[in-house]
Amino acid sequence: MAEDPVESLIKDTASVINDFASAETTHKKYLKSLETLTADGAASSKALKHVSYVSSQIKKDIHALNKSGTALTDEQKQKLQHAKAELDKVNEKLKTLQYDLPAENSGLYLSIILGSALNVTLLDANSRYRYKKDYESFKMTVTYVVLVMLFLCYMFPSRAIDALANFLLVWYYCTLTIRESILRVNRSRIKGWWVTHHYISCVIAGITLTWNDGECYKESRNLLIGLTAYVSLLQLLQHRYQTGCLRRLHSLGQRDDMDITVEGFSSWMFKGLTFLIPFLLVGYFVQAYCGYCLYAMYFSKKSCGEEWQVIVLSMLFFLVAAGNLITILAVVIRKVTTDSKLNITDLTAKYHPKKE
Ligand code: COA
């Protein structure tokens, strides 16, 4: 005999009420854990700060004792040296532990944009890895769209398409600065210059967007399109290198035998850099050349001399080319001269969960 439909619905409702009661219990448990987690996070942060403060005081005292000229036996000197080495190890470990705690503030830029109450810290290694991967994919996707827009600008010269392409660039660079600020809160080591470079690129695109459609604009647009296309191609090459590094750092952290893979990572990184750097240098040369062409235009053509955009863009291109060149030299010198093994141990800590 078929079941009474009303009874069946009542039975289902009772089952839903039961399920809800159990879901509510689980949710309460979750809220309790969250409360405990927040309290434990604050306690851990306080404890780490205390250790950091005391260890820096002891190091200062050791330094002062060594400088004071107090007569010390060889054994005492050795003991002090050993203590200092131990404190250095503690400081290195402290840095790694701090990766897992919320940052105290997100900085002025993010506080203005997102509000100071929003905490943008990613607490576990997998989330940091996924966020960084997503940042790289975002750059690549938008770069393809930019290339399509530049192709349209070149094929169908029109102020409207140019404006659309420049608007896209303003939005892109603006978004990059926000994402990069979030990455920096999450202990990314992006050099300040690369972020500044993206602020300046945003200003350059903004100036080009508002530039009158006059003779000087028309004369410079092919050069600007060419430069932007080259920079976009560079970004695709960079994407290959950066995602390669990221993938390797992530999997490096997953293995137990670090030594073999660390060597593999270093050799891959240097090969990648050797391939990339000549293209980057050509890019900086093209940026400086753009700066020079605009500079020459400003002083040689009366009509261009009356447009502030020409000289401001020229100065910004010189600034970007010089900043890029200096930073890339600093990066290469640092990579060649520092102890890569120490750095890698530190770097991998960011992208792999601790196994304990
Ligand atoms: N933009 C964004 N992030 C960058 C970056 C850039 N240009 N250069 C480096 N980073 C990030 C790295 O991904 C890494 O992040 P993480 O700490 O979150 O893992 C961190 O900064 C440290 O990187 P570092 O070890 O200093 O350099 P690298 O080996 O990753 O990259 C270069 C070195 C030279 C390849 C890279 O800096 C680069 O491509 N620079 C050129 C950028 C440029 O000139 N663009 C304009 C083209 S005209």
Side-chain angles (χ1 to χ4, degrees), residues 132 135-136 139 180 183 187-191 194 197-198 231 234-235 238 241-242 245-246 249 269 273 276-277 280 283-284 287 324 328 331 334-335 347 350-351:
K132 177 81 183 185
Y135 160 80
E136 292 297 341
K139 284 210 290 192
E180 281 158 4
L183 282 170
R187 280 76 173 183
S188 170
R189 294 159 182 247
I190 303 177
K191 290 245 164 309
W194 300 131
H197 174 213
H198 294 146
V231 169
L234 277 184
Q235 283 184 353
Q238 259 175 267
Y241 169 82
Q242 296 289 3
C245 281
L246 185 64
L249 279 177
M269 185 186 72
L273 275 179
L276 195 57
I277 284 175
L280 290 174
Y284 305 156
Q287 279 168 338
N324 283 346
I328 206 105
V331 168
R334 193 201 72 216
K335 280 188 189 281
L347 279 172
K350 196 167 46 184
Y351 293 128

Side-chain angles (χ1 to χ4, degrees), residues 11 62 64 70 104 162 165 226 298 300-301 331 346-347:
K11 229 157 86 191
I62 294 177
T70 314
E104 274 173 8
D162 286 6
Y298 184 76
S300 64
K301 285 196 172 175
V331 168
D346 198 12
L347 279 172

Side-chain angles (χ1 to χ4, degrees), residues 21 34 48 60 72 81 126 154 165 184 213 230 239-240 249 259 269 272 277 282 301 337 346:
L34 197 63
L48 292 183
K60 269 189 203 159
L72 297 171
Q81 221 167 8
N126 279 329
Y154 186 73
R184 275 161 74 101
D213 190 16
Y230 188 76
H239 171 81
R240 249 188 85 224
L249 279 177
D259 279 354
M269 185 186 72
I277 284 175
V282 172
K301 285 196 172 175
T337 55
D346 198 12

